[in-house]
Amino acid sequence: MKKLLLVAAVLSSIAQVSQAQEIDGTLKKVKDTGSITLGIRESSGPLSYLDANQKVIGYHIDICYKIVDAVKAKLKLPGLKVAEQAVTSQNRIPLVVNGTVDLECGSTTNSADRQKQVAFAPTTFVTNVRMAVKKASGITDLDQLGGKPVATTTGTTSVALMRAHEKGKSIDFKEVYGKDHADSFLLLESDRAVAFVMDDNLLASLIANSQNAAQYAIVGPALSTEPIAIMLRKDDPQFKALVDDTVKGLMKSGEINKLYAKWFTSPIPPKNVSLNFAMSDALKNAIANPNDNPVEAYKK
């Protein structure tokens, strides 16, 4: 009898060790705390932004909540609490790295440099970096920006892309920075800048929801074609596999196409206007061939 009890105790101990080994990294953190934290952007429409009631909504928010559902199922925690932490272009990576944010659901470009610090889900959006201007300015290209103030958002790569572009290398423009995309657009709106350089989808969203959308235009060459993806912590293979499998599942089932249509080609809050932003061939390819390739792969 003692031998049987001893064997049972050993088997129980082995089972507990095995179970402990099954969950680690972010999944263990979430299980232990009963909570997962999403990093959200307040003005990165239509990926992640606030509606008229200050509730965060958007394409990447919907995808992140699909991942949350997968986490609930994996950990058998239907009552898992979801916290939302506002992040900016400047602090989004540090907050993922230090564990404050578990999933960053904004508008972050996947780059080789950033991959040294964080990991990315498969690409769920592909953007072109261009510039928004007021039509009355007559500005249509980079070579018209000499000596003029150009807005961009702190913590983004837009100005560097302008200076690296063939037309931008010899142009002496003044950089003015907004703390977030809404603040940067306000610089253009209030004539403190003649152009705002950013991802074209973000520009389209800000213009569509401005007081006078008809006075703005998105112009100039595409400075860069960039894969946008949800961020998570690096060196966390269990959580990365769950995130990747969830996103790939949305792609395989076609559900991601429905989410895209909901946010990019249908009327959306707060003004119930449509961006009429058709899916690009680059995104269609990323959905057909899921990957977490950095922006450098798009330049080859």
Side-chain angles (χ1 to χ4, degrees):
M1 187 66 179
K2 288 183 179 179
K3 287 184 178 180
L4 289 174
L5 291 173
L6 180 61
V7 170
V10 170
L11 290 175
S12 176
S13 177
I14 292 173
Q16 289 176 3
V17 171
S18 176
Q19 185 176 15
Q21 290 174 339
E22 285 178 5
I23 301 296
D24 64 14
T26 298
L27 289 176
K28 185 177 188 305
K29 171 180 177 284
V30 170
K31 186 174 183 179
D32 290 347
T33 61
S35 176
I36 186 168
T37 301
L38 307 184
I40 61 101
R41 298 298 296 271
E42 297 181 334
S43 59
S44 291
L47 304 180
S48 172
Y49 68 108
L50 300 180
D51 66 10
N53 297 314
Q54 299 300 292
K55 176 186 176 184
V56 67
I57 56 175
Y59 174 68
H60 270 173
I61 298 301
D62 283 358
I63 293 174
C64 274
Y65 271 93
K66 296 290 184 183
I67 296 171
V68 169
D69 288 342
V71 171
K72 289 179 179 179
K74 172 74 174 178
L75 300 180
K76 298 180 175 58
L77 289 175
L80 179 66
K81 295 180 181 178
V82 182
E84 295 170 348
Q85 169 71 50
V87 301
T88 66
S89 298
Q90 206 167 16
N91 68 16
R92 56 190 166 180
I93 291 176
L95 290 179
V96 170
V97 171
N98 71 17
T100 302
V101 167
D102 300 310
L103 281 172
E104 193 268 341
C105 313
S107 53
T108 304
T109 297
N110 179 352
S111 71
D113 187 56
R114 286 171 174 165
Q115 283 190 7
K116 295 175 184 176
Q117 303 176 73
V118 295
F120 289 87
T123 297
T124 40
F125 188 69
V126 179
T127 191
N128 290 305
V129 177
R130 299 180 68 198
M131 61 180 178
V133 299
K134 285 185 175 179
K135 293 177 182 177
S137 71
I139 294 172
T140 59
D141 212 337
L142 296 178
D143 55 14
Q144 295 171 276
L145 298 177
K148 296 181 174 67
V150 176
T152 192
T153 304
T154 301
T156 65
T157 59
S158 300
V159 166
L161 291 171
M162 283 185 67
R163 297 206 180 281
H165 192 274
E166 184 177 353
K167 287 186 176 180
K169 289 178 181 177
S170 59
I171 300 171
D172 182 22
F173 57 87
K174 179 184 177 182
E175 303 164 18
V176 289
Y177 291 92
K179 68 180 186 302
D180 57 28
H181 301 317
D183 193 38
S184 296
F185 188 78
L186 181 60
L187 293 172
L188 172 63
E189 197 170 34
S190 60
D191 296 317
R192 286 174 285 168
V194 299
F196 172 25
V197 181
M198 190 44 59
D199 300 355
D200 56 1
N201 63 290
L202 301 180
L203 296 177
S205 176
L206 289 162
I207 289 171
N209 289 292
S210 66
Q211 291 184 352
N212 188 358
Q215 71 175 325
Y216 299 99
I218 298 173
V219 300
L223 301 176
S224 181
T225 297
E226 307 198 343
I228 308 297
I230 291 162
M231 270 198 303
L232 57 150
R233 272 180 289 286
K234 190 176 174 64
D235 300 324
D236 192 349
Q238 287 189 359
F239 191 49
K240 176 81 162 77
L242 182 146
V243 170
D244 286 3
D245 288 348
T246 303
V247 173
K248 289 176 182 178
L250 295 175
M251 293 174 172
K252 186 175 181 180
S253 69
E255 188 168 358
I256 200 162
N257 298 76
K258 295 177 182 178
L259 291 176
Y260 186 94
K262 172 184 174 182
W263 291 104
F264 289 91
T265 61
S266 305
I268 58 173
K271 290 192 173 183
N272 290 320
V273 295
S274 173
L275 302 186
N276 294 315
F277 209 89
M279 185 180 289
S280 67
D281 289 340
L283 181 54
K284 289 176 183 176
N285 183 62
I287 290 173
N289 304 282
N291 66 84
D292 60 358
N293 295 335
V295 63
E296 288 77 9
Y298 284 68
K299 298 176 180 178
K300 292 180 180 178

